[in-house]
Amino acid sequence: MDIQQQLAIKESRLGASEREAILSNYFATLNRQKKSFLGYQTNQQVEFSPVLLPFLSLNLLNLGDGFEEGSYRINAKQFERAVLEYYAQLCGFSGPHTQRRYWGYLTAMGSTEGNIYALWNARDFLCGHPVEGYADATVVRHPPVLICSVATHYSVYKASQLVGVNLFHDIGPALGECPINQGNWHQPLGVDERDAVNIDDLYALVEFFMTAGYPVILVLNHGATFSGGSDAIYEILNRLKPLLGRNTPQQRRYWIHVDGALAANFSPYLRSASEPFSVTDEPYEFRHPEVMSLCTSPYKWLGAPWACGVYLMQERYKVGSAARPVYIGSRDSTVSGSRQGVFALYLWERLTSLGKVGLQQLTRFNDTLADYTQSRIESLFHHLDPTGKHLIVMPRPQYSNIVRFTAPDAAVIRKFSLAQNDVMIHGKLQRMCHVVVLSHVTQEAIDALLDSLSHSRAFSLSAQPKNPLTDLSSIRSFYGELPDSHSSKEESFI
Ligand SMILES: *Cc1c(COP(=O)(O)O)cnc(C)c1O
């Protein structure tokens, strides 16, 4: 029977043994897939401690603001605050170096919700609404404009549509000639091969809109989705500071948001072995005092049975919703109304059971295996294609746990769940894929991937982008030259 028919919910009940058979079958399939799951930023090594099981018998909800107890008493807000405090210290929003107070919450979604919240709050702040720190509304001449690079996650674009914030492409043309991309407003704000935004172009765009009287919302990346690369946030904000000026109650000029979905979880542990919470002034440091909001997705790095996110911001800029429904007895200041309390318990349990020492070990483990993966794929590609023209391994950005290389055949992609992306390299769009090294990834899995990649049929035309910018003929001729010494292993990867 077709699987969808088997799963159909019908009038009569499905017997317990039938249900169990269907589910255990499916679980076995997933477990097989998990062994070679290399291509997405989610850690499949989920450690759900038995001490948490009793909580699954409750509908544990954090309703409304996590800093107010509210009337819904079956909640986990004290654990939420403990987890937030950890992330606030890790991400520079709290600690001995700062006087700033933070606000935030654990989201019901991943970083998508953090990005939505950030743009929502940025829009209202820059439109002159009263905020925590500045009680009075102020009149603003122009709506804000969103500036972010081509490496920015798609959820930021979605968030901009949801909350009605214009991108620089939308309002630029009416204001004058585009200061970057040879005057073309329809080109994206570019990045280098490590996905770091071009700082001169960013500066020119910000200058253009500030001169025209438009407040700007900057979304900067710490750990871009495909490369794990980051913008040089510390350097950028130091350079932009004179241009941005100062936000005051009457003058709302800018909003700085950092999307740290993956890297904010662990990069502090790579920076400083002895004190991950101490802020440096390196160019790629993301914990600059001008950062007004930040989001990160703990589930991606730490592993969790569900998506979950952290949103943090400087409290004095908070607009959010000041509504205080009598019904819940606390401020309704979150995007998601009811938030899963078990997320807070789960994160608290993981973080306290690992401690800083365990988190540091996790970081080192990922980093060492990513090094291994990068150098092994580099030497394989060098062997297969000594000219380096066709098989490319992209440089691994600092603090990235991701290795990017020329996309192989569809069968290899399927087997290892590899995500793909088209990347412009030497003026040509090339289809690349990536391996994301997280704690479920073993050296055996990497070696199995290498074995598949060394196969003569691993690189065929099907994985290449169907784009006229790509020179398909050169790939075809290269394929003809591939050594076929591994042809005896042909079945091994299909
Ligand atoms: C994954 C990701 C997001 C969105 O996270 P979700 O959990 O899918 O909501 C946002 N930004 C970046 C950079 C990401 O990698």
Side-chain angles (χ1 to χ4, degrees), residues 41 110-113 115 153 155 223-225 259 261 297 299-300 307:
Q41 302 187 340
S111 283
T112 298
E113 186 173 333
N115 285 331
H153 191 257
S155 62
T225 309
D259 182 349
S297 295
Y299 78 96
K300 286 186 170 175

Side-chain angles (χ1 to χ4, degrees), residues 6-7 13-26:
Q6 241 184 62
L7 299 186
R13 289 194 237 180
L14 206 59
S17 60
E18 232 177 312
R19 269 180 287 147
E20 203 189 314
I22 289 175
L23 289 172
S24 64
N25 228 339
Y26 193 53

